[in-house]
Amino acid sequence: MPRRGNYTLVAIATAIFGIAAAFPAEAGSGEMIGSISVIGTRFEVATEDGRIVPQNDLVGAVLTIGDGRDQVPLRIDAVETDPRNPDGAIMLYSMSSRDAATGEWRNICEADIEGRRMGFPLAGTWTQDGRHLPSGTAFSITCTGGAQAKCVRFGYRPWQRSADGTSLWDHHQACTRMIRADYCGDGVGHTRNGTPIVVYDRKGIQQDEAVPDMSFEAAWDAGGALCVSHTRIPDVLTMEGLARICPDVRRQERPAACESRAGALILNRSIDLRRGSRRQPTAP
């Protein structure tokens, strides 16, 4: 199975980092591709004569992608508009990579909570400490079970602006920190897949929701948690452990004080397992 550093092509919690387009690539129709760009979550493929290939015609196309050292063939097996986003701004792709040992094509995504094995490209690259860096040429691929894709599908689209003109780049970054419980902003998550949370913000993109047994957890900006009222999973990280690994993150056990923290871009609620709650709401 192709590997890139500490990441594999079958990654669901993180995107494949640092992938850039390599040319030429062969379209499913047999035409040669002249250029590939990423617009939002869409592969925009142009043939050598400048024709933009319709999205449905990308099915069967094999794109050669790489980082300047390794090249990996990526086959597009299906294309659909994200059913969660009826405005049509988000495309989902089923993508396969060829197994070097067997020659078989394998889906690069594991199933998300809905059983979907799809993903999309996202402009920019990601560092080991979880920072999203802009790029005009490189893109990453994230699967729908991963934090980057979840945050886009929540409405934090890094290529867009909110109604008041604010870029959503940092909101998307803060959301990825929150999804992974990356309190310290160092790329290390402190949660488990499938853990239920409520996500909301001050822009009204995601609304707060009162869920029994859930309480305020933390306020987030692009660099990680600004303050934390309780950690998401004490078995993974306790409040005392949080103080040891990132002492700059304020432990604020009065939820109202943390929730009103200036500069917070993303806020969330989760079950405070210190209270012995048993209810398990639906995970995002």
Side-chain angles (χ1 to χ4, degrees), residues 25-29 33 36-38 41-45 53-65 72-80 91-98 105-108 117-121 139 141:
E26 187 177 339
S29 64
I33 291 175
I36 304 173
S37 57
V38 172
T41 63
R42 178 190 302 261
F43 284 116
E44 185 154 298
V45 179
V53 180
Q55 289 293 296
N56 288 338
D57 289 354
L58 292 178
V59 175
V62 177
L63 311 179
T64 302
I65 57 178
V72 177
L74 186 73
R75 189 180 69 190
I76 298 176
D77 299 318
V79 181
E80 66 180 59
M91 300 301 298
L92 298 180
Y93 300 85
S94 176
M95 296 168 284
S96 298
S97 180
R98 193 189 297 275
W105 290 91
R106 300 182 183 276
N107 194 308
I108 66 172
R117 301 183 68 187
M118 303 188 83
F120 51 77
F139 60 88
I141 294 175

Side-chain angles (χ1 to χ4, degrees), residues 101-139:
T102 66
E104 295 180 1
W105 290 91
R106 300 182 183 276
N107 194 308
I108 66 172
C109 293
E110 296 291 347
D112 62 18
I113 196 169
E114 298 172 329
R116 182 181 287 106
R117 301 183 68 187
M118 303 188 83
F120 51 77
L122 197 61
T125 60
W126 294 80
T127 65
Q128 292 283 359
D129 61 359
R131 287 176 295 127
H132 190 190
L133 304 180
S135 173
T137 58
F139 60 88

